[in-house]
């Protein structure tokens, strides 16, 4: 799986990866549900090229109804997989109660996944991306995993760092395994 890369995961990049081979699917950069639903907003990363294999649209947002509409719109644009980002640690995303802010809101996350699943149906795979609890006092992931599985998520992708850790920290592979 090619992970979403901000400012990079456009069609030419993804097509190059497909030419290289060995992929299950490629992922767009994280897309705000609001942007996806705004008629004239720039959507340069949403184009799917000829010869691309399965493409996952990674969405960001904090409103279940908006995420449901955005997921449906993404499928209409050709998404083969939908992913909700519940792991982005960037302040401007967390302040919007999106990204890794979802990790402390399992009840609300359940509602969002339930709405997204209802909008795209059972045939489109639906995943979430989360982060590990790390060496913090956070103990959210068990609640997040249960809530999202109960709501109909098909896969959970785990980033091996806590949302407060930068990319120089080694990934906590032991936490991913558990």
């Amino acid at each position: 799986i090619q992970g979403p890369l901000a400012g990079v995961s456009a069609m030419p990049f993804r097509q190059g990866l497909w030419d290289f081979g060995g992929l299950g699917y490629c992922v767009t950069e994280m897309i705000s549900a609001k942007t996806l639903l705004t008629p004239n907003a720039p959507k340069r990363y949403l184009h799917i090229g000829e010869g691309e294999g399965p493409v996952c649209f990674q969405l960001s947002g904090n409103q279940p109804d908006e995420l449901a509409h955005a997921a449906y719109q993404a499928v209409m644009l050709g998404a083969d997989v939908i992913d909700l980002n519940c792991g982005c640690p960037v302040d401007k995303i967390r302040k919007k109660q999106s990204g890794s802010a979802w990790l402390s809101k399992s009840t609300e996350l359940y509602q969002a996944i339930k709405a997204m699943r209802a909008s795209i149906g059972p045939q489109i795979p639906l995943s979430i991306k989360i982060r590990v609890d790390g060496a913090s006092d956070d103990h959210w992931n068990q609640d997040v995993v249960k809530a999202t599985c109960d709501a109909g998520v098909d896969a959970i992708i785990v980033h091996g760092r806590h949302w407060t850790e930068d990319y120089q920290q080694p990934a906590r592979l032991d936490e991913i395994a558990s």
Side-chain angles (χ1 to χ4, degrees), residues 72-112:
Y72 178 80
Q73 183 64 33
V75 171
M76 293 298 102
L77 290 169
D80 300 293
V81 179
I82 301 295
D83 181 70
L84 177 60
N85 184 304
C86 301
C88 181
V90 176
D91 284 341
K92 72 178 184 178
I93 303 299
R94 286 186 53 82
K95 285 179 184 175
K96 295 176 186 175
Q97 294 302 301
S98 297
S100 60
W102 277 115
L103 297 175
S104 63
K105 306 183 301 182
S106 61
T107 302
E108 293 89 343
L109 183 54
Y110 171 88
Q111 296 300 327

Side-chain angles (χ1 to χ4, degrees), residues 156-170:
I156 299 172
I157 300 161
V158 183
H159 182 115
R161 295 173 185 89
H162 187 264
W163 71 268
T164 59
E165 295 175 331
D166 61 25
Y167 293 97
Q168 284 71 42
Q169 298 287 340

